Amino acid sequence: MTQDEILREMGLGPVWKLRAKAAAVPAAESMAPAVTEPQQEPAPPAAAADKTGLSWDELASTVAACRLCRLCEARKQAVLGVGDRHADWLFVGEGPGAEEDLRGEPFVGQAGKLLDNMLAAIGLRRGADVYIANAVKCRPPENRTPTPEETATCRPYLERQIELIQPKLIVALGRPAAQTLLQSEVKIGAERGKLHDYRGIPLIVTYHPAYLLRTLQDKARAWEDLCFMRRTMKTLKGN
Ligand code: URA
């Protein structure tokens, strides 16, 4: 896909032109855990146990079997994340939707297509120096926003992922991801364009791709955010 095609796909026209050539977007590699059918009653909402020290494999099997909140009841499978486990870039979304729940990979539906195009527009592609995860690992029914209890219960999994990946930069896509990571009320419009901090790791908040699909007028702002991310990463890498 050419850069122009990518930008057209995003509905951005010439406004989102970057001089650097964007990479093509290949099919994403799935790291989906096995499908698990819920067989037992979920535990009442509770803070997840200490995840300190879990390896990737232990984390993946713990998440696949997790029954710490009600989201396990209707899921087909938990969706841990996808990508380079030592990536410089970590993108965090809200939670799996119907397609992600089926395929076991984050951002594979319409919003995912836009996310892939956003990545491509700044020279990134899924799986190559990028890891994609969600604030909650199981699909909220009817694609509703996860509750604060659900994000709090799931947060230790994300925290452990971040410890394992050690990204240079975290990008929070939308409010639930931003609030989960920053542990405070966030309005994206007010907090975008700033460099935040997650335990010493720079963090940028921007609009969720699903929101951008509905709100064309904010795509130009999202483009500014992408440019800001790219500049920030260049500085972090010292070039
Ligand atoms: N929206 C998200 O926030 N995450 C996904 O994985 C898919 C859609």
Side-chain angles (χ1 to χ4, degrees):
M1 201 187 273
T2 66
Q3 175 113 31
D4 278 349
E5 284 166 342
I6 291 165
L7 296 172
R8 250 199 317 281
E9 181 71 33
M10 295 171 74
L12 298 169
V15 186
W16 286 52
K17 276 245 182 252
L18 249 199
R19 255 173 254 136
K21 206 167 163 38
V25 183
E29 181 196 350
S30 173
M31 300 191 339
V35 175
T36 50
E37 291 296 333
Q39 283 160 357
Q40 3 161 166
E41 275 297 297
D50 184 14
K51 302 295 176 288
T52 319
L54 289 189
S55 68
W56 268 113
D57 286 350
E58 288 163 343
L59 182 64
S61 54
T62 305
V63 168
C66 182
R67 304 192 61 79
L68 286 174
C69 83
R70 295 258 152 205
L71 294 184
C72 70
E73 290 175 35
R75 75 173 179 219
K76 296 216 172 347
Q77 60 191 314
V79 180
L80 179 64
V82 69
D84 178 349
R85 290 177 170 185
H86 300 288
D88 285 341
W89 295 82
L90 170 64
F91 286 77
V92 181
E94 181 175 318
E99 227 167 312
E100 290 77 17
D101 180 56
L102 262 182
R103 288 176 50 187
E105 179 172 336
F107 284 100
V108 289
Q110 276 304 107
K113 204 170 159 215
L114 178 54
L115 177 60
D116 284 343
N117 290 343
M118 290 164 72
L119 295 178
I122 52 169
L124 298 173
R125 67 182 164 84
R126 183 183 289 245
D129 208 18
V130 177
Y131 193 91
I132 303 171
N134 278 312
V136 296
K137 310 305 186 201
C138 298
R139 180 193 179 197
E142 318 299 330
N143 295 341
R144 65 165 168 75
T145 304
T147 65
E149 291 72 28
E150 288 159 355
T151 52
T153 303
C154 216
R155 199 174 61 238
Y157 297 135
L158 180 61
E159 289 170 351
R160 185 60 189 149
Q161 282 178 297
I162 298 171
E163 281 170 9
L164 288 164
I165 298 166
Q166 296 185 7
K168 283 195 166 53
L169 180 63
I170 300 174
V171 178
L173 301 163
R175 199 166 183 220
Q179 295 190 155
T180 298
L181 288 162
L182 295 174
Q183 290 288 280
S184 61
E185 276 285 310
V186 172
K187 287 206 169 78
I188 299 297
E191 299 307 326
R192 55 175 286 278
K194 301 178 188 169
L195 210 48
H196 298 270
D197 174 86
Y198 170 87
R199 301 184 180 177
I201 302 172
L203 183 149
I204 289 172
V205 312
T206 189
Y207 299 103
H208 190 284
Y211 167 84
L212 292 172
L213 288 171
R214 300 188 301 268
T215 321
L216 298 182
Q217 71 268 21
D218 278 331
K219 280 193 171 177
R221 291 197 183 91
W223 174 246
E224 287 169 12
D225 295 346
L226 285 170
C227 294
F228 177 45
M229 289 168 209
R230 217 170 75 121
R231 278 199 311 277
T232 303
M233 182 59 88
K234 277 194 170 180
T235 308
L236 291 170
K237 286 183 165 180
N239 57 26

